[in-house]
Amino acid sequence: MVRKIKHVLILLYVFAFFQSYAQRSISGVVKDAQTGQPIIGATIVSNSNVKTASGEGGRFTMMLNSSDNSITVTYLGYAELKKSVSNNETIEVLLNPINNELNEVVVIGYGTAKRSDITGAVSSLNEKDFNKGVNTSPEQLLAGKVAGVQVVQSSGEPGGGISVNVRGMGSINASNSPLYVVDGFPIDNSVTVGGTGANFTGMKSARNPLNAINPNDIASIEVLKDASATAIYGSRGANGVVLITTKRGKSGGLKVDYDAYYGVQNIQRNIDILSAEDYKSVINGIIDAGGGNNNQQIGDLTNSTDWLDLMYNKNAPIQNHNLSFSGGNDQTKYHTSLNLYDQSGLLINSDNKRYSARVNLEHVGTNFKLGANMTTSFIKDNYVANGMDLNERAGIIYAAIAYDPTLPIYNPEGGYMLSPDMNIDNPLAIANGKTSVSNLYRTLGTIYGEMNFLEDFTAKLNLGADISNQRRDTYVDRQTIEGRANGGVASILQGTSNSYLAEFTVGYKKKIDIHDLNFLVGITGQQFNDIGQNSQGSGFASDATKTDNMGLGDPTKFIVSSSRARNSLLSYLARANYNLNDKYLFTGSLRIDGSSRFGENNQYGIFPSFAFGWKLDQEEFIKSLDFFNSLKLRTSWGRTGNQEIGNYQSISTYASGQKAVIDYVQVSTTTPSRLPNPDLKWETSEQLNFGLDFGLVKNRISGSLDWFYKDTKDMLLNLAVPRTTGFSTMMTNIGAVRNTGVELMINSINTEGIFNWQSTLNFAWLRNEVRDLGSNKVIYSGSAGGTSNVSVIQVGLPMYSFFGYQIDGIWQQGDDLSVTNDKVAAGDFKYKDVNGDKIVNADDRVVIGNSFPKYTASLTNNMDYKNFNLNIFIDGVFDVDMLNNNLVDTYFPANLKRNRLSEPMLNRWTESNPSTVYPSFVNPNGQGKKEVNTYTVEDASFIRLSTVKLGYTFALRNTKYVKGLNLFLVGQNLAVISNYKGYDPSINPNGGGARIDWNAYPTARTYMMGINLSL
């Protein structure tokens, strides 16, 4: 495949380069059509892509090819002008001033609006703004691109999970993810099949369901952030709304586009563990210092195995091919696409493949419009066992870090070597003996009809469906410890998730003198259905059939389960927009949501919002300043909800109970599994927003500034209840969280002409604070392996604040040990005795870190010089921490012979090296396992050179069939500046909640080359 791509690129280049052409000269001047003033720096491009710029006095001269019969002239703040040209003429180009950005149409909930008329906090991205390089899902297109929106990768595995937070977190037990709306269809972004299969270690967060949508098909993404923008989505708008609009056809002939890239991936930053030689030196040194028995000494080395290096798939290939056809006329337009995406994982035996197709059609008649948007995809995942588990249940990263590097890969009998000193499986046995394959089919589509009637009214009917079917086959064979113990373990997990949408809206739009009216009312209903069936078998005579014939297993060990769940929403919505004299903007919306998820006493919720906008640039006192090109003040208030708690939380449900014996016969029983709460209702968020949109220096500098606070009340929380009820918790509405923040976005046109340079800066500050927990004084949260109670949720603190011990250095020889009653010796950690009672225990824990970044920032630079284009994207996160649980395993190992991270071990305290930083490791658990401390909770702030893309657009001459050709090179994750000692400070393998890094799937540094070809 690589060779074929190279041949195609070479042929296209030679074809373009050797086309003969004749040149001629034209000259001219570019002026403002209203003032007659010359325009310096206007860009002039011929139809064969010859480019120049106007200079002093607005004058320009350029050499044209024989095929050039027109030029296109552009300049910021002016309408684009296309002008026919002939031989050796002198022309005058008059450009009319406009404000393209303010007149740009932006998608909002259930409609569109001009950017200049928007009163809410809405961020809009189109293709030129998206992240360049490898993007497997829509969220990655906007990562770091929108102030106040944090996109965090949960895992570096192909298609790995992603969490998105808009303006912080407001919920403990409910979801904090935004609502995704694709072409008007609000989708359920939960996984179709949960779980991993028996005895298979998986990541805490599942693969990303949005991977089913091809990023190449996306035309724009709008992020609705404040309540004015999101309240139209009512009970699903509390965490923000992400509107995804796919590409549409345009009038004209058939347009064929082929986009492709091929690249290789390697570990972005490695974890350094002890080599065999260092391992021997360190372990023997600790034993000599009294930290072990002499019979544990390591003798002469006969083997040296880098287990971690064996887990890596070097130069893992990645490729993407996208072929699209579009076109149409004034009545009918179409866009279709085919996509193949294939990514091998950085860890052996893991990969992700996607095959997808899309069809978008639209037909416009005299007073009606019909359309359809449909995509279908097949995704095949190969998983490798890895994640947050330990010992024989561990994944390959945990095993590879901890396994003895002095052991060979195989034992003398040819099987995998096992260590006699630890209950961990051989890393290669795990990688090759635990397999899991998933096949997912997903089809998402809408059809709509729109009719104009009574001159100013529009009625629209929108119907849609989202259907997913998935099967995951997992097998654990006899190469592994668990497979041998069980005679092989097979699991089949199957699921179907369907949702259906029907909505009807009526709109009224009328302009009367200085009054511009726009009203919308509607009704919408959506139903969600989930079906699951799992089966498990073991005790097989052979591993040959794996999951293909589970009937060959021991029938007494079969386990079968099934499930079915349904929930629905019925909603009524209304919105009114009023524009007075194109100066004063008013917006009000109301949604009434009814949900089957809530108690019979609270099944309907009301979600209103109000907003006001003032176009200050239309006022004479602003115009007289001659400083602002655009200036708009916005303010809004609104109430939104959150219903993402799963099904049946408000009613009593039943589960399998203990076995009973009646008349000497064993019978199955059922038992209540939940306390009902008929008063359960929505989690409610109230948000106040003040915003300012501005444009200066002919809009060469433009942007927005927002301040907000968002109060989440009536949190959906599992409240502790008396044990006499027979239960430990009950889902209820209690507690409150506040998120306060500032968001700044600045666009600047730095230079324009032959060399164009544009920059976009995003900055956000966020403060999260728990305001109320009801009767709960504190809630402990977060765990990884043997580490528990990682963080606290407590009034006055940010959610998921790290709670642990302060370390003030290392005890040294000669220190006064009488200041503590703890059993300590030189070389031990010196924990801070906070309460001064001479004993360091749980009472001495304090807040030592923050899971929420206080500051996020990004900088995008786009530069064009002649036919070259360069994109550089830098992002950063600051004042945030993460528990590095692999450091916990280093400082508090399960036993002496486990391998560990090299830096602390090689620089450990000894009598000849009295370190003030690292302990001796002679008696690491002597003071108890104080896993969460100021050593293991690390600063996870970072600055990253995320993407560099260099492209070259060929000036095609006399080419009849090739309309456009661009070749490009991309580097991703090229450099990271951070003090964090794990794979990547930007990921969170724990998924939601406290940031915990343990056995993370590493992230990739990628280099690739690609082509954009238009025919």
Side-chain angles (χ1 to χ4, degrees):
M1 177 61 72
V2 178
R3 183 175 297 174
K4 290 180 180 179
I5 294 174
K6 289 180 179 178
H7 288 168
V8 171
L9 296 179
I10 292 171
L11 288 173
L12 288 171
Y13 178 81
V14 172
F15 174 73
F17 184 80
F18 286 103
Q19 285 294 310
S20 60
Y21 64 95
Q23 291 188 320
R24 66 190 195 279
S25 173
I26 66 166
S27 61
V29 62
V30 183
K31 296 180 180 179
D32 186 305
Q34 295 181 1
T35 66
Q37 294 295 314
I39 296 176
I40 301 172
T43 301
I44 303 101
V45 183
S46 73
N47 53 278
S48 71
N49 210 38
V50 177
K51 183 186 291 186
T52 189
S54 59
E56 189 70 27
R59 291 183 292 273
F60 68 92
T61 300
M62 65 190 304
M63 300 297 294
L64 299 181
N65 299 325
S66 60
S67 61
D68 288 327
N69 53 30
S70 67
I71 59 172
T72 301
V73 185
T74 58
Y75 188 68
L76 181 69
Y78 291 82
E80 179 183 288
L81 179 66
K82 187 173 183 179
K83 191 175 183 69
S84 299
V85 295
S86 58
N87 292 335
N88 303 315
E89 68 172 326
T90 301
I91 60 176
E92 183 180 49
V93 179
L94 300 177
L95 297 183
N96 290 299
I98 62 166
N99 192 328
N100 283 322
E101 183 179 345
L102 295 180
N103 287 297
E104 177 187 347
V105 175
V106 175
V107 178
I108 58 175
Y110 299 96
T112 60
K114 288 197 305 182
R115 181 180 296 278
S116 60
D117 293 342
I118 289 177
T119 55
V122 179
S123 295
S124 179
L125 301 175
N126 53 39
E127 284 187 89
K128 67 179 178 61
D129 305 311
F130 293 157
N131 281 316
K132 314 303 178 187
V134 177
N135 294 295
T136 59
S137 68
E139 304 102 316
Q140 293 174 318
L141 295 174
L142 57 85
K145 294 290 187 174
V146 180
V149 177
Q150 189 183 15
V151 180
V152 179
Q153 188 92 12
S154 302
S155 168
E157 64 182 332
I162 294 177
S163 65
V164 178
N165 296 131
V166 178
R167 293 187 166 181
M169 280 185 173
S171 184
I172 296 173
N173 292 123
S175 171
N176 285 285
S177 296
L179 172 69
Y180 295 93
V181 181
V182 181
D183 290 329
F185 189 104
I187 66 171
D188 178 7
N189 201 37
S190 59
V191 296
T192 303
V193 166
T196 61
N199 303 98
F200 190 92
T201 300
M203 305 302 296
K204 278 197 171 182
S205 58
R207 298 276 174 105
N208 185 6
L210 277 181
N211 287 341
I213 298 174
N214 174 19
N216 294 85
D217 287 336
I218 296 175
S220 68
I221 298 177
E222 274 76 24
V223 182
L224 314 184
K225 296 189 287 187
D226 73 335
S228 171
T230 63
I232 197 71
Y233 289 101
S235 64
R236 294 180 286 179
N239 299 318
V241 180
V242 178
L243 305 179
I244 298 171
T245 304
T246 58
K247 294 176 181 177
R248 303 291 190 266
K250 297 179 181 179
S251 297
L254 172 64
K255 185 174 184 290
V256 181
D257 292 297
Y258 173 66
D259 305 299
Y261 61 74
Y262 177 87
V264 294
Q265 311 159 94
N266 283 293
I267 301 295
Q268 175 185 262
R269 46 192 320 218
N270 206 352
I271 293 178
D272 293 325
I273 58 178
L274 293 173
S275 66
E277 293 78 8
D278 290 335
Y279 175 84
K280 172 185 174 181
S281 174
V282 167
I283 298 300
N284 288 347
I286 292 174
I287 293 172
D288 292 339
N293 300 319
N294 287 332
N295 60 6
Q296 295 177 292
Q297 289 271 0
I298 300 172
D300 294 338
L301 293 180
T302 58
N303 299 283
S304 177
T305 305
D306 188 340
W307 295 104
L308 197 54
D309 187 67
L310 289 173
M311 300 299 103
Y312 297 150
N313 185 14
K314 313 290 193 309
N315 295 317
I318 181 171
Q319 60 179 315
N320 184 69
H321 302 271
N322 198 78
L323 180 64
S324 64
F325 306 86
S326 62
N329 51 40
D330 291 341
Q331 288 75 43
T332 305
K333 300 177 181 66
Y334 62 89
H335 178 93
T336 65
S337 70
L338 299 170
N339 176 250
L340 164 63
Y341 175 82
D342 187 354
Q343 181 182 9
S344 294
L346 292 176
L347 299 183
I348 56 177
N349 300 330
S350 63
D351 60 62
N352 170 262
K353 293 182 177 68
R354 179 184 63 222
Y355 307 87
S356 68
R358 171 171 289 278
V359 177
N360 287 350
L361 298 171
E362 186 172 82
H363 177 76
V364 179
T366 305
N367 62 349
F368 70 92
K369 182 189 297 183
L370 299 173
N373 306 301
M374 180 171 291
T375 184
T376 186
S377 59
F378 166 64
I379 298 176
K380 185 179 183 67
D381 283 311
N382 278 308
Y383 299 82
V384 64
N386 193 59
M388 289 190 169
D389 217 328
L390 71 171
N391 299 331
E392 66 273 6
R393 303 185 306 278
I396 64 174
I397 292 295
Y398 179 93
I401 290 175
Y403 221 60
D404 187 340
T406 66
L407 294 176
I409 298 174
Y410 303 102
N411 59 34
E413 290 76 32
Y416 288 110
M417 175 62 76
L418 291 176
S419 169
D421 298 306
M422 60 188 76
N423 56 337
I424 300 177
D425 211 341
N426 185 295
L428 275 175
I430 300 173
N432 296 323
K434 294 187 175 184
T435 58
S436 186
V437 179
S438 165
N439 292 308
L440 170 67
Y441 301 85
R442 185 172 188 176
T443 298
L444 169 65
T446 56
I447 57 173
Y448 59 90
E450 190 174 306
M451 183 178 68
N452 300 322
F453 65 99
L454 297 179
E455 187 175 351
D456 301 314
F457 288 87
T458 303
K460 182 177 181 179
L461 177 66
N462 188 34
L463 304 174
D466 182 9
I467 302 172
S468 296
N469 292 282
Q470 184 177 5
R471 169 171 164 154
R472 181 168 177 174
D473 291 62
T474 298
Y475 190 75
V476 179
D477 70 20
R478 289 170 175 77
Q479 299 177 84
T480 66
I481 293 175
E482 292 180 301
R484 282 192 298 275
N486 293 282
V489 183
S491 303
I492 298 177
L493 297 83
Q494 298 181 89
T496 300
S497 296
N498 302 328
S499 68
Y500 304 98
L501 173 74
E503 59 186 24
F504 179 72
T505 56
V506 176
Y508 172 79
K509 191 172 184 179
K510 183 78 171 179
K511 184 172 179 62
I512 307 172
D513 194 16
I514 62 172
H515 308 282
D516 199 342
L517 307 174
N518 193 337
F519 300 106
L520 176 78
V521 295
I523 182 172
T524 174
Q526 193 165 2
Q527 187 179 88
F528 305 87
N529 303 281
D530 297 286
I531 300 173
Q533 182 176 347
N534 301 333
S535 55
Q536 177 186 327
S538 57
F540 297 94
S542 166
D543 292 325
T545 57
K546 296 187 176 181
T547 59
D548 294 333
N549 192 346
M550 290 180 63
L552 296 177
D554 185 343
T556 65
K557 297 180 179 180
F558 289 156
I559 300 174
V560 178
S561 64
S562 63
S563 63
R564 181 186 294 269
R566 173 182 295 177
N567 72 286
S568 58
L569 279 167
L570 177 63
S571 310
Y572 308 91
L573 58 95
R575 180 173 59 215
N577 291 307
Y578 174 51
N579 184 334
L580 176 61
N581 201 26
D582 201 29
K583 287 185 183 180
Y584 312 108
L585 311 170
F586 301 91
T587 301
S589 69
L590 177 69
R591 180 157 177 147
I592 301 173
D593 265 341
S595 173
S596 63
R597 283 182 167 173
F598 292 98
E600 58 186 12
N601 299 334
N602 284 302
Q603 287 205 323
Y604 281 86
I606 300 175
F607 305 96
S609 76
F610 306 96
F612 168 72
W614 182 12
K615 293 184 179 181
L616 292 165
D617 56 272
Q618 299 299 311
E619 301 290 354
E620 289 301 325
F621 69 90
I622 295 295
K623 289 181 179 180
S624 64
L625 298 176
D626 196 24
F627 184 71
F628 294 99
N629 299 105
S630 62
L631 187 65
K632 180 175 66 177
L633 180 67
R634 298 177 279 105
T635 183
S636 67
W637 172 90
R639 181 181 294 142
T640 51
N642 187 354
Q643 64 143 14
E644 299 305 317
I645 55 169
N647 298 321
Y648 313 126
Q649 295 290 319
S650 65
I651 61 177
S652 181
T653 56
Y654 292 82
S656 176
Q658 298 293 323
K659 299 293 185 181
V661 177
I662 300 176
D663 293 332
Y664 304 102
V665 177
Q666 180 176 284
V667 296
S668 299
T669 65
T670 57
T671 183
S673 59
R674 178 182 292 116
L675 270 177
N677 181 2
D679 295 319
L680 193 67
K681 62 181 179 179
W682 279 270
E683 198 170 78
T684 302
S685 291
E686 291 187 2
Q687 188 171 174
L688 179 66
N689 190 95
F690 293 96
L692 185 69
D693 301 327
F694 56 87
L696 317 170
V697 196
K698 292 187 177 179
N699 282 316
R700 293 183 73 95
I701 300 175
S702 61
S704 62
L705 176 66
D706 283 85
W707 174 88
F708 70 90
Y709 82 78
K710 181 170 68 172
D711 280 345
T712 301
K713 305 174 182 178
D714 297 326
M715 280 196 304
L716 293 162
L717 187 65
N718 284 316
L719 181 70
V721 295
R723 290 282 184 176
T724 54
T725 63
F727 302 91
S728 58
T729 62
M730 180 178 70
M731 180 65 75
T732 189
N733 295 99
I734 196 167
V737 172
R738 171 171 290 182
N739 287 279
T740 307
V742 175
E743 299 164 354
L744 174 66
M745 185 274 291
I746 297 176
N747 289 317
S748 67
I749 309 297
N750 306 317
T751 63
E752 195 169 41
I754 290 292
F755 177 66
N756 296 294
W757 175 22
Q758 301 182 19
S759 300
T760 300
L761 171 68
N762 283 294
F763 172 82
W765 168 82
L766 176 71
R767 173 176 169 77
N768 176 274
E769 181 186 2
V770 177
R771 309 273 291 181
D772 180 28
L773 287 176
S775 60
N776 295 287
K777 291 184 178 180
V778 62
I779 298 174
Y780 294 99
S781 173
S783 63
T787 308
S788 59
N789 295 336
V790 168
S791 64
V792 294
I793 301 172
Q794 187 174 334
V795 173
L797 297 176
M799 291 170 60
Y800 305 111
S801 295
F802 290 108
F803 194 60
Y805 300 91
Q806 290 181 272
I807 295 177
D808 289 343
I810 307 298
W811 289 102
Q812 302 292 329
Q813 291 178 328
D815 284 350
D816 181 9
L817 302 184
S818 66
V819 298
T820 178
N821 291 331
D822 287 332
K823 184 179 179 180
V824 297
D828 288 346
F829 273 135
K830 184 185 290 186
Y831 295 103
K832 185 173 183 178
D833 182 7
V834 175
N835 60 13
D837 63 358
K838 292 190 174 185
I839 298 174
V840 178
N841 55 26
D843 295 334
D844 294 290
R845 291 178 297 169
V846 293
V847 174
I848 59 174
N850 180 26
S851 284
F852 283 92
K854 288 186 179 178
Y855 309 97
T856 57
S858 69
L859 177 65
T860 303
N861 283 287
N862 287 300
M863 288 163 274
D864 295 300
Y865 177 71
K866 294 186 177 179
N867 291 16
F868 289 95
N869 47 82
L870 177 65
N871 173 275
I872 301 175
F873 176 56
I874 301 170
D875 67 330
V877 172
F878 309 96
D879 204 350
V880 63
D881 303 283
M882 182 151 59
L883 174 67
N884 186 340
N885 210 63
N886 290 117
L887 271 178
V888 171
D889 290 337
T890 290
Y891 288 117
F892 307 99
N895 62 50
L896 172 66
K897 298 298 281 290
R898 296 199 176 196
N899 200 2
R900 285 164 261 178
L901 305 189
S902 62
E903 182 183 344
M905 305 303 295
L906 294 176
N907 297 285
R908 73 192 190 284
W909 187 97
T910 64
E911 291 185 2
S912 60
N913 178 45
S915 171
T916 59
V917 178
Y918 297 111
S920 67
F921 296 97
V922 171
N923 188 14
N925 300 317
Q927 300 180 72
K929 282 194 172 184
K930 297 177 171 60
E931 297 102 331
V932 184
N933 58 58
T934 50
Y935 271 42
T936 58
V937 175
E938 293 191 291
D939 180 9
S941 303
F942 68 87
I943 299 175
R944 175 175 54 193
L945 178 56
S946 182
T947 309
V948 175
K949 179 181 179 182
L950 176 64
Y952 183 82
T953 302
F954 287 87
L956 302 176
R957 308 178 182 97
N958 299 329
T959 55
K960 182 178 180 180
Y961 300 106
V962 180
K963 298 176 182 178
L965 174 62
N966 177 267
L967 303 181
F968 60 86
L969 300 172
V970 177
Q972 256 183 306
N973 286 335
L974 295 178
V976 176
I977 301 173
S978 178
N979 294 323
Y980 186 69
K981 295 183 178 65
Y983 277 123
D984 188 345
S986 69
I987 65 173
N988 180 16
N990 192 43
R995 292 175 65 92
I996 303 175
D997 182 6
W998 193 39
N999 312 327
Y1001 193 111
T1003 53
R1005 175 176 292 127
T1006 306
Y1007 298 97
M1008 64 187 194
M1009 61 180 293
I1011 180 175
N1012 305 123
L1013 176 65
S1014 295
L1015 302 175

